[in-house]
Amino acid sequence: VQLQASGGGLVQAGGSLRLSCAYSGSSPSTNIMGWYRQPPGKQRELVATINGSGVRKDYADSVKGRFTISRDNAKNTVYLQMNSLRPEDTGVYYCAASKYTDLRRGLPDYWGQGTQVTVSS
């Protein structure tokens, strides 16, 4: 399984970005997909997850109401729409995939490379 994240950049506070993660491999390897981020000097943290059908979505409390995760299985792509961005959203964002592991409780099977998001105040 290969994951390719894109869409990061520099944006002012209050702005929006949409991250994309193109993945190879089909279910079950990419059954559960997630986005993580690693702020400067901090540990990597889970931002959002989505199940295979796209029905079940979970978010970190810090992004609820501002970020939306979605997937297009026909295009093998997962998205993270980020609105009302804040300086504390700055970090390297990674997409990840899991066969069966609930990402709220365990680590993914596969990681993509990161894409930098910088939010200026």
Side-chain angles (χ1 to χ4, degrees), residues 28-109:
S29 298
T30 53
N31 184 38
I32 300 169
M33 300 292 294
W35 285 97
Y36 293 74
R37 68 185 179 190
Q38 187 163 15
K42 297 184 178 180
Q43 290 187 334
R44 195 173 299 188
E45 60 184 6
L46 180 63
V47 174
T49 68
I50 188 168
N51 72 344
S53 66
V55 172
R56 177 65 185 266
K57 303 175 185 181
D58 291 286
Y59 299 93
D61 288 342
S62 59
V63 306
K64 281 180 180 177
R66 300 187 298 121
F67 289 13
T68 302
I69 189 170
S70 62
R71 67 189 297 168
D72 185 336
N73 289 336
K75 295 182 178 179
N76 280 10
T77 303
V78 175
Y79 305 97
L80 186 68
Q81 177 66 43
M82 305 186 295
N83 298 328
S84 302
L85 282 162
R86 304 168 180 169
E88 53 264 39
D89 294 318
T90 293
V92 180
Y93 282 69
Y94 299 88
C95 62
S98 168
K99 291 181 181 180
Y100 306 116
T101 300
D102 183 339
L103 299 182
R104 296 170 298 172
R105 296 176 175 80
L107 293 176
D109 301 312

